[in-house]
């Protein structure tokens, strides 16, 4: 079994009430279980952010390494984007 460390955490009353309500509703057996679940979600979210940041950094580096795209005609770019958006909206209407 994993080693356990006791910690004291102080919550504002509205948060504490939410945790107690979740336990009373049977969503969790104890307040500790509810807090552990919250910490797991927080940890997962931090990992997802780190993964997203790594992917963005890789994409940035790949983009820089690919060289210049040359001149960009923003009028044409906007028209193409509007066309793709219109096509997406048409597909949703089906």
């Amino acid at each position: 079994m994993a080693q356990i460390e006791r910690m004291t955490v102080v919550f504002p009353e509205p948060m504490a009430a939410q945790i107690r309500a979740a336990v009373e509703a049977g969503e969790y057996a104890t307040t500790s279980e509810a807090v552990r679940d919250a910490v797991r979600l927080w940890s997962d979210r931090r990992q997802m952010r780190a993964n997203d940041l790594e992917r963005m950094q890789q994409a940035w580096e790949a983009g820089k390494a690919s060289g210049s795209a040359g001149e960009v005609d923003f009028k044409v770019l906007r028209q193409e984007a509007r066309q793709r958006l219109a096509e997406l909206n048409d597909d949703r209407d089906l």
Side-chain angles (χ1 to χ4, degrees):
M1 180 172 186
Q3 193 172 359
I4 295 175
E5 180 178 344
R6 181 177 296 276
M7 301 180 88
T8 300
V9 180
V10 179
F11 292 101
E13 180 50 37
M15 282 184 171
Q18 287 179 317
I19 294 169
R20 285 192 303 274
V23 172
E24 290 168 8
E27 296 175 45
Y28 297 96
T30 65
T31 56
S32 292
E33 184 183 325
V35 172
R36 282 192 298 270
D37 189 39
V39 171
R40 277 190 292 273
L41 290 170
W42 168 75
S43 180
D44 290 347
R45 187 174 65 187
R46 287 187 70 201
Q47 185 61 52
M48 286 188 326
R49 285 181 179 167
N51 293 343
D52 288 347
L53 180 58
E54 177 64 25
R55 282 193 304 273
M56 284 190 289
Q57 288 172 333
Q58 289 173 356
W60 176 261
E61 293 302 324
K64 287 185 348 184
S66 71
S68 175
E71 293 287 324
V72 176
D73 185 338
F74 284 99
K75 184 176 181 180
V76 171
L77 186 64
R78 280 192 302 272
Q79 288 171 342
E80 290 172 355
R82 287 186 180 119
Q83 179 62 37
R84 283 194 303 271
L85 182 59
E87 291 169 1
L88 285 172
N89 287 333
D90 288 344
D91 290 343
R92 289 182 185 165
D93 291 338
L94 296 177

